[in-house]
Amino acid sequence: MGALRGGRREDHAPLSGDVAIVATWKRLFRLGVGRPGVRQAVDWEIEHHLAELVDRLMDEGLSEVEARREAERRFGDLARQRRRIVATDRRRVVMRKRGELLDTVLAGLRQTYRGIRRSPGLSAAVVLTLGLGIGVNAAMFGVVDRLLLSPPDHIVEPDMVRRVFRDGDFFGTRSVIAATTYPDVTDLRTISELSSVGAVAGATQLTMGVGAEAEEVRAVQGTHDFFTTLGVKAQLGRFFDAQDDQLDAALTAVVSHEFWTRALGGDPDVLGRPLELSGHRATVIGVAPAGFTGIDLEPVDVWLPALPMQYLRSGSDRFVTSRTYWWLQAVVRLKDPAQVEAAEAQATALNINNREENHRDPDVRILTAPLMQAHGPRASDESKVARWTAGVSLIVLLIACANVANLLLARGAGRRREVAVRLSLGVSRRRLFWEAALETLTLATLGGVAALALAHWGGGLIRAVLIPDVLWTTSALNPRVLAATAILAVTAGMLAGFGPATQSSRADLTRDLREGGRGASGRRSRVRGTLTVAQATLSAILLVGAGLFIRSVVEVHRVDLGLDADHLIQASLEFQGEEPDEAEATELYRLAMEAVQAIPGVTAATGSDMLFLWGSVEDLTVPGLDSLPVPPGAGPFYYGVTPGYMRTMGLRILQGRPLLATDVSGTPRVAVVNETMARTFWPGQDPLGKCFIRDETDECTTVVGVVEVASRGELESGPLLAYHVPLAQVGQPPAGIYVRTEGDPEARLGEIAAVMRSLSPRVRFARVQSFRELMAPQTRAWTLGAALFTAFGLLALVVAAIGLYSLLAFDVARRTQELGIRVALGAQKKRVLAQVMASGARLAALGVVIGIAASLAAMPHVRGLLFHVEGSQPVILGAVAALLVSVAVVAAGGSHGGAPGRVRALEAPPSRPVTGSSRMLTLQA
């Protein structure tokens, strides 16, 4: 109930509407949207004006009820009027806030400009530091995006497509493999939960052209349903259909977009054009879309139908029916992702039930994994290293942010008098905070621009040098990298600028005006010291990682493969027309060995039916053994070789003799076994003269020698069982030759290739590779880790050293008066210098201790990426500690001797007695 005025009620029950009255708007404009009571104030104003109108109407003779009804009629729809007033007020407040924001932004930009002009060196250091931190992250994002985040191009609904793996026994070793057989692929096609099943074979190197002009072509074989499983569409023409993928079908080919433009000139009439690929004629039926590489990221030049190409290469159709011919990798498309476990269970049952008893593995499991190989059970070491180095690059960014925060805190301490004056003149602390934050964000934006150049150059370098086997379908500065750079710049600006902005808004007005900006609080010094310790800690972690990967590379090159790989070359021939028969091929390889051995610098050459990294396993029977012992590694692998093989490969004969030129067809079958096979089959016995039976014949192969164990090329393989037999006794021509050189084998590759091409018109191409090149894919992960960790570690070390130098230089400048007084009172400058250096060394030492402790804690998580570094850890940790402390001491000494604020005590002339109080102090700014 309200009070009465003149016998009438002064106020009434609150209303729920608004009125459009100019006088009311003027009052409401002074109210901010979002303040408590705004809507209530609107109701009160409306009630006030309604009450005034009711009073006037009652003065004119209307009753209170009539006056009330007439007043509400004149005001109209109260709810609509109320909404109009609130909306108008909100627009006004929004415009006011926008104006305030614009003023703050402009003031921040002016402050940034003045700061750059006043201290261009510090501003440049901030921009460059953030540019380095953001740039390395942008460059690594481009790599990680391709390897770990983005599925292969042009695949429809890639989440529905999965790779198939087999977890079970493989050549005597429990392992997860991607390889499968054609009958297993046929089994997968019967599973109802799968909408499509395809398969692809590993890439092979074919040749297009003849002689020195011949070009190597990377060819991949795929089944006709491989492309429909992926959902990819051809750019021109079509992919294979079921008729193309028959054993007796004429060979067809689909060329990649990149090969089409590079080697075929982008000819729009390419369909129907014949291609000569290693003597096989294929007709082009389509062009794949740009960037299509199948399920992997390696570039592909030509796609070939799996069955007819494999039939041409092997000369047999055994691969269609054999469940021991592992040559394909299967991919499947799910109907429903929820049915993946049911599909795996059916595939496992089929794999067990459809195999013969002697090839059945009851413990086998068929698994499916995401299409992106980096997320599956067979993730490459390169992808694992890329994942870790992406985290390392973030550490570099954190170090850069800590360094920038330290620099800005130091500069902010020097601006405290200016801030205090502005506060006394009425500038709000909130505005000071946002001006300081905007200044840092502006510098971070400039750093982001500088980072783009580093990302473009560094990303291209990483792609070309460290990960050359991936087809990079976009530039190093693609839109995703640009967006990541922008996000990183804003994040770095916020991280680096929050502390300095908070400091500027928390100024102590009285003290700062009194001290005139001299001195700094202990809390602020502790903050800057903490940031410096954090930089040293993170730098130690990176340098320890770099040392571990460098040591891994060293240990990789020290691996004893059982053969002298540093001076070995592998060479093989491709022939014109039909494949030569055994006699012709044997004669051509004999001529090749003779011609190559005549080259200066070549010391030996030998032939083998198995090229390096290849291997073949046979079932053996050993008289006296009911079953063969389980091999400790894998095998037994057999190699057919020519005389001189052991000497050329650098293998030592431990017992007996090597294979000789007299071991030919018609003489008793002989073999040289490796030490592991001798110990496994005949433990505690003399293996010489022992017998084993190969294949399905009853003829005994007699052991005439024992050779040291040699690796098949796998750096971390276990002890393998292997034996060598004369090629002349098994009736096989060589598949290639091995060549030993005196000097660098890389220098002989061109000459050897030219000599082998000139042997006969039947030779169309000679493929020559050093063992160093053959082993490169296995060592690339450690090389990648060593290069990136070292680069990032050194970068972090430089940034941390600059941060320590800047902190101590500012500390010296802040304490100029104190230090000058101490020197004037007789303190030796060397003692002052030692104290400054000791303070820097203490900060670095604390950071090193924390960093080494963190490295030891993280060691178990990265041990899988390292190679035999356990015994080197103390040496690496000690070297990192010594390096960081040494750099800290140098930075501390430089901060005293060359930093702004250096103190010099100038002695008076010797002829005049001088007391400590009469010395002159010179401050060098």
Side-chain angles (χ1 to χ4, degrees), residues 131-396:
L132 288 173
I134 297 169
V136 297
N137 277 271
M140 281 306 304
F141 175 81
V143 173
V144 171
D145 182 49
R146 182 62 171 164
L147 295 182
L148 305 178
L149 303 179
S150 300
D153 297 344
H154 302 289
I155 297 178
V156 177
E157 295 180 328
D159 293 340
M160 301 291 289
V161 181
R162 298 179 70 86
R163 297 173 185 257
V164 179
F165 293 90
R166 182 181 187 273
D167 179 9
D169 179 79
F170 191 71
F171 288 140
T173 303
R174 183 82 186 187
S175 57
V176 177
I177 62 171
T180 189
T181 68
Y182 190 79
D184 292 329
V185 174
T186 303
D187 291 342
L188 291 174
R189 290 170 176 156
T190 65
I191 297 177
S192 59
E193 285 80 4
L194 304 178
S195 63
S196 181
V197 177
V200 63
T204 57
Q205 294 293 336
L206 305 179
T207 57
M208 187 174 69
V210 179
E213 291 75 28
E215 176 185 0
E216 286 197 286
V217 174
R218 194 168 190 270
V220 173
Q221 299 165 226
T223 60
H224 69 278
D225 44 10
F226 172 72
F227 304 97
T228 56
T229 300
L230 301 184
V232 64
K233 304 297 183 183
Q235 178 178 336
L236 289 178
R238 62 177 178 84
F239 282 108
F240 312 123
D241 57 24
Q243 286 70 34
D244 297 313
D245 198 22
Q246 302 294 324
L247 287 176
D248 56 352
L251 192 61
T252 55
V254 174
V255 297
S256 69
H257 176 87
E258 292 72 22
F259 182 80
W260 174 55
T261 55
R262 183 187 74 248
L264 304 180
D267 182 9
D269 298 325
V270 70
L271 301 182
R273 177 172 173 174
L275 290 180
E276 287 286 341
L277 301 173
S278 295
H280 306 296
R281 179 179 291 266
T283 302
V284 177
I285 62 171
V287 177
F292 176 67
T293 58
I295 58 175
D296 296 315
L297 300 177
E298 292 82 2
V300 178
D301 294 322
V302 179
W303 298 90
L304 300 170
L307 295 186
M309 186 61 195
Q310 191 69 13
Y311 182 68
L312 289 173
R313 294 182 62 196
S314 65
S316 168
D317 61 357
R318 175 173 170 266
F319 60 86
V320 177
T321 57
S322 173
R323 291 188 184 266
T324 60
Y325 200 105
W326 309 86
W327 66 291
L328 292 170
Q329 179 178 2
V331 290
V332 299
R333 180 175 288 275
L334 301 172
K335 290 181 179 178
D336 183 354
Q339 297 177 332
V340 61
E341 294 184 0
E344 290 177 349
Q346 287 195 50
T348 299
L350 289 171
N351 194 277
I352 296 174
N353 297 333
N354 291 348
R355 289 186 124 72
E356 299 175 3
E357 187 65 33
N358 59 334
H359 292 299
R360 183 172 298 169
D361 179 8
D363 297 326
V364 72
R365 290 178 59 223
I366 302 301
L367 309 173
T368 64
L371 183 61
M372 297 180 65
Q373 191 167 358
H375 298 167
R378 297 282 294 178
S380 66
D381 288 336
E382 288 90 342
S383 64
K384 296 176 184 177
V385 171
R387 188 179 289 113
W388 274 97
T389 49
V392 166
S393 65
L394 288 176
I395 293 179
V396 174

Side-chain angles (χ1 to χ4, degrees), residues 141 145 452 473-487:
F141 175 81
D145 182 49
L452 292 177
T473 56
T474 59
S475 69
L477 292 182
N478 59 68
R480 291 166 67 93
V481 173
L482 293 176
T485 304
I487 294 173

Side-chain angles (χ1 to χ4, degrees), residues 889-902:
V889 170
V890 172
S895 68
H896 179 271
R902 181 179 56 185

Side-chain angles (χ1 to χ4, degrees), residues 420-432:
V421 170
R422 295 185 67 193
L423 282 173
S424 65
L425 294 176
V427 178
S428 68
R429 294 180 182 270
R430 180 179 179 183
R431 177 161 180 156
L432 289 174

Side-chain angles (χ1 to χ4, degrees), residues 607-654:
S608 173
D609 66 347
M610 288 292 164
L611 299 179
F612 192 61
L613 303 178
W614 290 16
S616 183
V617 178
E618 286 185 333
D619 291 330
L620 301 181
T621 302
V622 178
L625 296 179
D626 295 333
S627 61
L628 296 183
V630 177
F637 294 93
Y638 82 90
Y639 301 91
V641 300
T642 63
Y645 177 86
M646 311 302 170
R647 179 172 63 89
T648 302
M649 303 299 287
L651 296 173
R652 292 182 298 115
I653 296 293
L654 304 178

Side-chain angles (χ1 to χ4, degrees), residues 67-140:
R68 178 80 178 180
R69 187 181 302 115
E70 177 62 19
E72 291 181 354
R73 185 189 65 79
R74 292 185 182 184
F75 276 93
D77 188 344
L78 295 180
R80 183 174 62 85
Q81 297 291 4
R82 184 177 187 276
R83 287 195 299 269
R84 288 177 59 193
I85 292 176
V86 172
T88 301
D89 191 57
R90 284 182 173 174
R91 287 196 298 269
R92 181 196 64 80
V93 173
V94 168
M95 293 300 294
R96 178 176 59 81
K97 289 187 175 181
R98 287 179 180 175
E100 292 175 355
L101 177 61
L102 180 60
D103 289 343
T104 303
V105 170
L106 293 176
L109 292 176
R110 287 193 295 267
Q111 181 78 4
T112 303
Y113 176 71
R114 287 195 298 269
I116 292 175
R117 289 194 60 186
R118 186 162 44 190
S119 52
L122 184 142
S123 300
V126 169
V127 171
L128 291 178
T129 301
L130 289 178
L132 288 173
I134 297 169
V136 297
N137 277 271
M140 281 306 304

